[in-house]
């Protein structure tokens, strides 16, 4: 079977090249993300904050590798149904067909892994450079090579290749050979029982997660948005063959003339081809729009929340001791953001949370902030005490905090309400923070002026800005961080999905040479055939964009509800600029690829192709 698989590969290499490419890129992306994640997780220090991002990146990379490789292999098998039917007619059994396809998958997995491992080293350099440029890791951070990654890469490459062809090989072996040759019966049925099952299952999961996200705490918003978008993308990909015929009829209303009618007929006839081409586009749009919309909505909600919370006129930033007690100042609330490591204890384990605490004066803080703790009181935040975020530790429990060189046992005296602001994780009384830490760390003091007071009395006592400008600058900084998160999580993964879109178009066109030749001998010119193929690809692109947008919408609804619940008013930010770029880019890339592949497929004489086919 391996020899027959090799002969098939050498004879039909253009069809298999796309499958090898998807395996290669999947192995490279997963290998790179895993190596960087392991290096960051074991390095400690400044790179600890990057571990969560890298974990999300790795999860998306694995999903894309499995999803794209599986859909590509399934489409490749579907494109060869006539060849497999002929094999069955000359005596090949169902088991032999399955072994042939699994042997081909093994061969393609080996080739994809062999190219993917060295490519992964290049991808790792690009990812590391990206993390450094965006400030998620220090400039000295360098991921280390691990010998065991070869086994993992081989497992990923071979595993996704074989898993990707299992279901397709089973279905191909069950189809009767005459039905496959005539493209009737089971061979023509695209919406199988498996598609219905997984489509409905993942659609229900996406709706459920969107509902849950409306009541989830903000720290789980990004993870939930990704999971909701992924589930919705899988569901709509599985159910996309239901949309293609309807889209074909809609295209018939828009596209006029012979070329439009031909594109409509091809779209409605090639349901499997159209669905397979739209699949990676659905995932690409769903992930990009959902992730960008989630981060932007949370950022806007945080700004609204911050403006509603703070009662002050100016913010004075100083380092070291400062005296802001001057005439005209009604209240001053100094806040110093200090790094802290908090250890919590359970019955059988201890956990360490690294983050930032705001060292405050409780009375002054209460005078300049509206929000109050959900449990406990900031009035008790004196001595060895701490206020924690909701869900971290119960009121009255004890934690151990390391602040600078000091290690203290602190009692939880207040539980803070859920917030979108991304501010300090904990509140500490300033009196327990070591003086050297306070002296070396910038302090932002919120100042409330007395009626009629002159702000110029604070001139020369630090960097003075208005509260509105300070909140706007904080929001802009938060947006820059969100953009960095978006770039890290979806940068190379989005590129992989885009390449998969191009790959699907190329595979689809590789088997249409005779179809194009028949169209030409019936009277169409080469240019007309190419234009018809581009029109068809444009309709498929539209299907992918719409379904991807629907998948992203399920995420944005849940995140908007969660952000509105916490911020106190409706919050939804739609990334229209990104959507415009994605839409224009998708039509441009798919259209150019479709034109190029159609030109290549129509280069030979149509008579030679139709004659050879006969």
């Amino acid at each position: 079977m391996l020899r027959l698989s090799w002969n098939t590969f050498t004879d039909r290499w253009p069809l298999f090249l796309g499958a090898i490419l998807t395996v290669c890129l999947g192995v490279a992306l997963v290998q790179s993300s895993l190596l960087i994640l392991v290096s960051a997780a074991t390095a400690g220090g400044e790179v600890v904050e990057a571990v969560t991002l890298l974990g999300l990146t790795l999860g998306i990379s694995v999903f894309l590798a499995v999803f794209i490789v599986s859909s590509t292999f399934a489409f490749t098998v579907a494109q060869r149904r006539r060849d497999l039917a002929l094999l069955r007619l000359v005596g090949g059994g169902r088991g032999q067909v399955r072994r042939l396809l699994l042997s081909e998958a093994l061969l393609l997995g080996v080739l994809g892994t062999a190219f993917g491992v060295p490519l992964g080293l290049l991808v790792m350099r690009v990812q590391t450079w990206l993390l450094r440029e965006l400030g998620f890791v220090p400039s000295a951070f360098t991921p280390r090579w691990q010998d065991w990654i070869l086994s993992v890469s081989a497992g990923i490459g071979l595993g996704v290749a074989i898993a990707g062809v299992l279901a397709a090989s089973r279905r191909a072996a069950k189809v009767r050979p005459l039905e496959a040759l005539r493209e009737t019966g089971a061979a023509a049925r695209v919406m199988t029982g498996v598609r219905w099952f997984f489509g409905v299952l993942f659609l229900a999961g996406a709706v459920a997660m969107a509902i849950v996200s409306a009541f989830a705490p903000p720290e789980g918003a990004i993870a939930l948005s990704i999971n909701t978008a992924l589930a919705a993308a899988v569901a709509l990909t599985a159910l996309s063959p239901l949309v293609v015929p309807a889209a074909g009829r809609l295209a018939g209303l828009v596209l006029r003339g012979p070329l439009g009618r031909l594109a409509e007929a091809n779209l409605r006839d090639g349901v499997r081809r159209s669905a397979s081409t739209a699949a990676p586009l659905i995932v690409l749009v769903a992930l990009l729009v959902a992730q960008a919309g989630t981060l932007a909505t949370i950022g806007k909600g945080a700004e609204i929340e911050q403006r509603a919370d703070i009662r002050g006129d100016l913010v004075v930033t100083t380092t070291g001791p400062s005296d802001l007690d001057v005439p005209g100042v009604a209240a001053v609330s100094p806040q110093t953001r200090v790094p802290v490591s908090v250890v919590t204890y359970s019955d059988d384990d201890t956990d360490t949370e690294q983050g930032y605490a705001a060292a405050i004066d409780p009375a002054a803080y209460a005078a300049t902030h509206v929000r109050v703790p959900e449990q406990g009181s900031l009035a008790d935040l004196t001595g060895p005490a701490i206020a924690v975020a909701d869900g971290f530790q119960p009121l009255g429990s004890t934690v151990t905090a390391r602040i600078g060189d000091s290690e203290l046992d602190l009692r939880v005296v207040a539980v803070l309400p859920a917030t979108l602001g991304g501010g300090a994780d904990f509140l500490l009384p300033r009196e327990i923070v070591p003086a050297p830490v306070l002296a070396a760390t910038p302090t932002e003091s919120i100042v409330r002026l007395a009626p009629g007071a002159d702000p110029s009395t604070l001139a020369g006592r630090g960097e003075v800005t208005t509260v509105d400008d300070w909140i706007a600058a904080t929001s802009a900084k938060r947006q820059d961080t969100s953009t960095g998160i978006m770039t890290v999580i979806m940068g190379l993964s989005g590129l992989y999905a885009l390449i998969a879109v191009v790959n699907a178009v190329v595979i689809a066109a590789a088997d249409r040479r005779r179809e194009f030749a028949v169209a030409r001998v019936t009277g169409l010119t080469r240019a007309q055939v190419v234009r018809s193929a581009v029109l068809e690809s444009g309709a498929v692109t539209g299907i992918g964009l719409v379904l991807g947008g629907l998948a992203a919408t399920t995420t944005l609804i849940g995140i908007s509800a969660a952000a509105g619940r916490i911020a106190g008013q409706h919050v939804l930010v739609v990334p229209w600029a990104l959507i415009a770029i994605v839409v224009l880019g998708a039509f441009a890339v798919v259209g150019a690829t479709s034109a190029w592949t159609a030109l290549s497929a129509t280069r030979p004489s149509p008579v030679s192709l139709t004659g050879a086919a006969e």
Side-chain angles (χ1 to χ4, degrees):
M1 281 298 174
L2 284 175
R3 177 176 297 179
L4 180 58
S5 300
W6 177 255
N7 291 336
T8 305
F9 169 71
T10 55
D11 182 58
R12 301 287 299 275
W13 66 267
L15 189 61
F16 293 114
L17 195 59
I20 295 175
L21 179 63
T22 56
V23 174
C24 173
L25 293 174
V27 168
L29 192 57
V30 173
Q31 173 184 293
S32 170
S33 301
L34 184 57
L35 282 175
I36 299 176
L37 175 62
V38 171
S39 298
T42 57
E46 298 179 56
V47 299
V48 173
E49 296 180 356
V51 172
T52 302
L53 289 180
L54 291 167
L56 290 173
T57 305
L58 178 62
I60 292 178
S61 300
V62 172
F63 168 80
L64 286 176
V66 174
F67 179 85
I68 291 175
V69 170
S70 298
S71 60
T72 301
F73 272 58
F75 185 37
T76 303
V77 172
Q79 292 289 86
R80 299 172 54 211
R81 56 187 178 272
R82 293 176 63 88
D83 295 348
L84 299 176
L86 290 173
L87 180 61
R88 292 282 305 281
L89 286 175
V90 297
R94 292 182 176 179
Q96 290 175 310
V97 171
R98 295 199 68 182
R99 287 196 295 273
L100 172 64
L101 294 175
L102 290 174
S103 298
E104 291 174 356
L106 179 62
L107 176 62
L108 299 181
V110 169
L111 292 174
T113 302
F115 291 111
V117 169
L119 180 61
L121 298 177
L122 177 61
V123 173
M124 184 174 68
R125 291 187 178 183
V126 174
Q127 267 189 305
T128 304
W129 170 82
L130 192 62
L131 289 167
R132 289 173 184 158
E133 289 295 312
L134 295 173
F136 290 106
V137 296
S139 58
F141 173 75
T142 302
R144 297 184 303 274
W145 170 261
Q146 309 282 349
D147 290 338
W148 51 261
I149 199 67
L150 293 174
S151 300
V152 175
S153 297
I156 291 291
L158 298 178
V160 297
I162 293 175
V165 84
L166 275 176
S169 65
R170 182 174 178 271
R171 182 171 185 268
K174 289 176 63 177
V175 175
R176 296 176 180 177
L178 288 179
E179 290 180 346
L181 287 174
R182 297 173 179 174
E183 297 187 3
T184 59
R189 190 181 306 118
V190 181
M191 282 304 300
T192 62
V194 174
R195 269 187 176 269
W196 275 109
F197 174 77
F198 283 106
V200 173
L201 176 66
F202 278 91
L203 184 60
V207 173
M209 283 189 287
I211 294 174
V212 170
S213 66
F215 304 96
E219 60 267 17
I222 295 177
L224 267 176
S225 72
I226 293 175
N227 291 330
T228 304
L230 291 179
V234 172
L236 294 177
T237 297
L239 300 176
S240 60
L242 299 175
V243 181
V244 171
R249 286 189 288 271
L250 181 62
L253 299 177
V254 178
L255 303 175
R256 299 294 182 179
L259 298 185
R261 289 196 295 271
L262 179 60
E264 174 194 356
N266 286 335
L267 184 65
R268 297 175 63 179
D269 183 63
V271 173
R272 182 180 286 106
R273 178 179 65 238
S274 301
S276 298
T277 304
L281 192 58
I282 294 172
V283 174
L284 174 64
V285 174
L287 288 178
L288 285 176
V289 175
Q291 183 67 15
T294 294
L295 294 174
T297 297
I298 291 176
K300 184 62 177 178
E303 182 179 352
I304 293 173
E305 179 186 60
Q306 200 171 20
R307 292 185 184 279
D309 179 42
I310 295 177
R311 289 293 178 264
D313 302 295
L314 302 172
V315 176
V316 182
T317 304
T318 58
T319 301
S322 61
D323 181 15
L324 302 181
D325 187 12
V326 298
V329 172
V332 178
S333 176
Q335 299 175 194
T336 306
R337 192 169 183 257
V338 297
V340 63
S341 178
V342 179
V343 181
T344 58
Y345 306 95
S346 59
D347 294 337
D348 54 357
D349 197 10
T350 60
D351 292 318
T352 301
E353 178 82 10
Q354 296 195 9
Y356 289 89
I360 65 169
D361 179 284
Y365 186 88
T368 56
H369 290 76
V370 174
R371 294 168 69 90
V372 297
E374 287 190 348
Q375 300 177 45
S377 172
L378 291 182
D380 298 327
L381 194 65
T382 59
I386 187 173
V388 302
D390 182 32
F392 182 73
Q393 282 289 292
L395 187 69
S397 60
T398 300
V399 299
T400 300
R402 186 171 189 84
I403 312 165
D405 295 328
S406 301
E407 189 169 293
L408 305 170
D409 290 331
L410 306 177
R411 184 168 56 91
V412 176
V413 298
V415 176
L416 304 174
T419 177
L420 295 167
D425 303 299
F426 312 99
L427 296 182
L428 295 172
R430 295 180 67 83
E431 62 197 69
I432 69 171
V433 179
V437 175
L438 290 177
T441 308
T443 297
E444 294 174 321
S445 299
I446 298 175
V447 177
R448 196 173 74 237
L449 299 174
D454 185 2
S456 63
T457 57
L458 293 171
R461 297 177 181 269
E463 181 183 344
V464 182
T465 59
T466 65
V467 167
D468 287 341
D469 290 344
W470 178 71
I471 292 176
T474 302
S475 179
K477 184 178 180 180
R478 188 184 300 116
Q479 185 58 43
D480 291 341
T481 302
S482 298
T483 302
I485 293 173
M486 174 76 179
T487 305
V488 170
I489 294 178
M490 290 305 305
L492 295 176
S493 299
L495 180 61
Y496 179 32
L498 182 62
I499 292 174
V501 174
V502 175
N503 183 41
V505 175
V506 174
I507 293 177
D511 203 43
R512 301 183 69 184
R513 293 159 63 90
R514 183 174 182 272
E515 175 189 330
F516 291 152
V518 170
R520 291 177 66 188
V521 298
T522 56
L524 294 180
T525 65
R526 184 185 181 190
Q528 288 175 316
V529 171
V530 172
R531 286 200 297 272
S532 175
V534 172
L535 287 174
E536 181 185 347
S537 70
V540 173
T541 302
I543 294 172
L545 292 172
V546 170
L547 294 182
L550 288 176
T553 300
T554 60
T555 292
L556 295 182
I557 290 174
I559 295 302
S560 175
R565 173 174 55 86
I566 296 170
Q569 67 181 76
H570 175 72
V571 184
L572 176 61
V573 179
V574 180
W576 293 114
L578 177 64
I579 291 175
I581 292 172
V582 170
V583 170
L584 295 176
F587 277 109
V589 171
V590 177
T593 305
S594 178
W596 173 72
T597 53
L599 283 171
S600 300
T602 55
R603 185 172 292 114
S605 168
V607 176
S608 65
L609 291 176
T610 54
E614 295 172 356

